[in-house]
Amino acid sequence: MIKFLDLQKINLLHQAEIEQKLLDVFRSGWYLLGNEVKLFEKNLSAYTGIKHAIGVANGLDALRLIFRAYIEIGFMKKGDEVIVPANTYIASILALSDNGLVPVLVEPDINTYNIDISKIEEKITPKTKAIFIVHLQGRVVFSAKLQALAAAHNLKIVEDNAQAIGAEWNGLKTGNLGDAAGFSFYPGKNLGALGDAGAVTTNDDELEQAIRSLANYGSSEKYVNIYKGLNSRLDEIQAAVLDIKLKYIDGENAYRRDIAKKFISEINNPKIILPENPEDEKEHVWHVFVIRSQNRAALQKYLTDNGIQNLIHYPIPPHKQKAYKEWNELSFPITERIHDEVLSLPISPVLEKEDVDLIIDVLNNY
Ligand SMILES: *Cc1c(COP(=O)(O)O)cnc(C)c1O
């Protein structure tokens, strides 16, 4: 069987380095807010080219903290609106509703699966405070037009960069395209920890200060609380592991690109819709490789019967979730179509060349 994602094998790529580091942290007696977190923050900041990187407990917290900090520093208030793609992972939406902000859903582009930038302007109202872009599947969504739109309406651009670490637009890394970005290092992400972890990046000093405090009980000085904060710290063990794996992320993303290129050039079956390659290959890090089929259930069964594990990212769009029952009657046809048709194939830095060939053969015989 070809696994969808072999996390054990992915982490064993760096076994010796990781085991030594785990032992060092264990023996150090210092487990939170120490040198490992500082070092990882410094290296993530250098890697992305962004002034500040703040380690936090997970990706959802990274996003929640950005919006919470914008509220604390007075840029936003409860009831304000934030534009967000309708087909995103639920975490992007939760980060807004958790802060009392109103998500304004916008349809994606059927070819890129990312927010359709041409449909943003019509959704801007006097209450809009930010455009929340999500580089879904590892593909950058950005343009000069988006930048100009945000500037013209005094909107922040916030990036959900959970799926696209290492992707680039015009030589700039994701996380450095807008005003602030949230990263997830969930084990299955392109840069994955051995548990939960996340980070925020920003060039904004005031926002950085607010996020650091908010993530540590709202205090910047021990026992002095300036905000009603939360506990969302990155621990030393996760930071140490991430700092090792960060050195290899570009190589691993390049390997994913090679697989994607081969899938796109060699899968040739009219029943299957392939993802579109961006003009600049650096704009995609292929967190997932998503195909579409009008009869997804049959394709899914066929792949599984042929020993190829696969997943659906995602089966139910946010507006059809019970958690957002106030939206259940809304209609987003492109989003709904995507959720009905998509299927993710295995792609990872440890997927063997023979397995790539086998997946291509199986799909061409479907
Ligand atoms: C994974 C993910 C998150 C949340 O990250 P966690 O670390 O699981 O909290 C947020 N947004 C997107 C798009 C994601 O894929």
Side-chain angles (χ1 to χ4, degrees):
M1 190 194 49
I2 302 176
K3 283 194 181 174
F4 181 74
L5 190 65
D6 191 337
L7 285 180
Q8 184 184 39
K9 216 165 153 190
I10 286 175
N11 287 315
L12 285 174
L13 284 173
H14 317 295
Q15 182 173 9
E17 263 183 290
I18 290 176
E19 286 182 354
Q20 183 56 53
K21 202 73 206 187
L22 290 176
L23 198 59
D24 290 348
V25 175
F26 166 62
R27 289 178 174 164
S28 76
W30 193 279
Y31 307 115
L32 281 171
L33 299 181
N35 289 333
E36 298 299 337
V37 170
K38 275 200 200 100
L39 188 65
F40 175 61
E41 287 178 344
K42 184 167 154 266
N43 287 331
L44 182 64
S45 147
Y47 176 78
T48 49
I50 307 163
K51 191 168 170 195
H52 304 290
I54 309 144
V56 298
N58 56 66
L60 174 58
D61 277 3
L63 301 171
R64 286 166 68 202
L65 282 161
I66 291 168
F67 291 102
R68 178 72 191 277
Y70 275 129
I71 291 173
E72 295 292 356
I73 67 178
F75 186 81
M76 293 178 191
K77 58 179 188 314
K78 281 191 179 169
D80 281 344
E81 296 172 2
V82 175
I83 286 169
V84 63
N87 64 321
T88 187
Y89 179 54
I90 199 73
S92 327
I93 308 289
L94 290 169
L96 299 174
S97 53
D98 188 60
N99 279 301
L101 296 165
V102 179
V104 175
L105 306 177
V106 171
E107 286 267 53
D109 177 305
I110 191 72
N111 297 310
T112 64
Y113 306 122
N114 272 327
I115 193 167
D116 186 338
I117 292 174
S118 73
K119 291 182 180 156
I120 292 178
E121 190 163 18
E122 65 201 57
K123 300 281 183 139
I124 296 175
T125 76
K127 284 190 163 183
T128 312
K129 287 290 150 57
I131 302 171
F132 189 12
I133 52 176
V134 185
H135 307 298
L136 215 56
Q137 304 179 1
R139 181 173 184 153
V140 176
V141 57
F142 204 71
S143 70
K145 189 183 162 238
L146 178 75
Q147 238 169 349
L149 195 61
H153 296 269
N154 190 28
L155 309 178
K156 299 289 183 194
I157 297 179
V158 177
E159 300 174 72
D160 180 337
N161 196 31
Q163 302 191 358
I165 186 168
E168 287 180 25
W169 180 82
N170 263 357
L172 289 173
K173 287 248 166 45
T174 50
N176 198 8
L177 301 175
D179 298 282
F183 291 62
S184 165
F185 308 116
Y186 174 80
K189 297 286 157 80
N190 286 30
L191 179 62
L194 307 182
D196 274 318
V200 174
T201 55
T202 183
N203 287 316
D204 180 335
D205 298 340
E206 190 186 9
L207 195 75
E208 185 246 357
Q209 286 301 315
I211 290 171
R212 267 193 204 287
S213 303
L214 281 165
N216 192 26
Y217 296 107
S219 74
S220 47
E221 193 185 325
K222 210 168 186 180
Y223 306 132
V224 180
N225 303 86
I226 47 181
Y227 307 114
K228 298 182 186 94
L230 50 143
N231 174 356
S232 183
R233 296 179 295 230
L234 175 61
D235 68 73
E236 291 281 285
I237 285 187
Q238 300 307 340
V241 170
L242 289 168
D243 197 52
I244 292 169
K245 293 181 72 178
L246 182 63
K247 292 184 290 182
Y248 302 101
I249 188 70
D250 284 345
E252 295 184 358
N253 282 341
Y255 188 85
R256 287 174 185 265
R257 280 188 192 119
D258 287 345
I259 297 174
K261 222 176 283 172
K262 204 165 152 68
F263 278 159
I264 290 173
S265 68
E266 295 180 25
I267 298 171
N268 181 7
N269 182 331
K271 294 202 229 44
I272 292 165
I273 299 166
L274 292 167
E276 178 201 79
N277 240 328
E279 263 169 49
D280 175 358
E281 67 165 21
K282 292 205 167 145
E283 289 181 16
H284 210 324
V285 293
W286 301 98
H287 171 58
V288 282
F289 188 94
V290 172
I291 58 175
R292 270 172 39 229
S293 158
Q294 287 187 6
N295 189 351
R296 177 177 63 194
L299 177 61
Q300 184 165 38
K301 180 173 186 310
Y302 170 79
L303 281 171
T304 306
D305 289 349
N306 280 279
I308 299 167
Q309 272 191 350
N310 54 84
L311 289 174
I312 295 170
H313 296 99
Y314 301 94
I316 306 171
H319 72 280
K320 293 289 181 193
Q321 299 284 359
K322 202 174 161 195
Y324 290 95
K325 47 183 177 309
E326 64 275 29
W327 294 342
N328 286 176
E329 302 307 318
L330 298 180
S331 162
F332 292 94
I334 300 170
T335 297
E336 285 155 34
R337 180 167 164 208
I338 289 172
H339 284 75
D340 285 344
E341 296 183 352
V342 291
L343 192 67
S344 304
L345 299 179
I347 188 166
S348 84
V350 296
L351 187 64
E352 304 286 346
K353 297 254 187 308
E354 307 87 80
D355 290 341
V356 174
D357 290 332
L358 186 77
I359 293 167
I360 293 166
D361 277 350
V362 167
L363 284 170
N364 286 340
N365 288 322
Y366 173 60

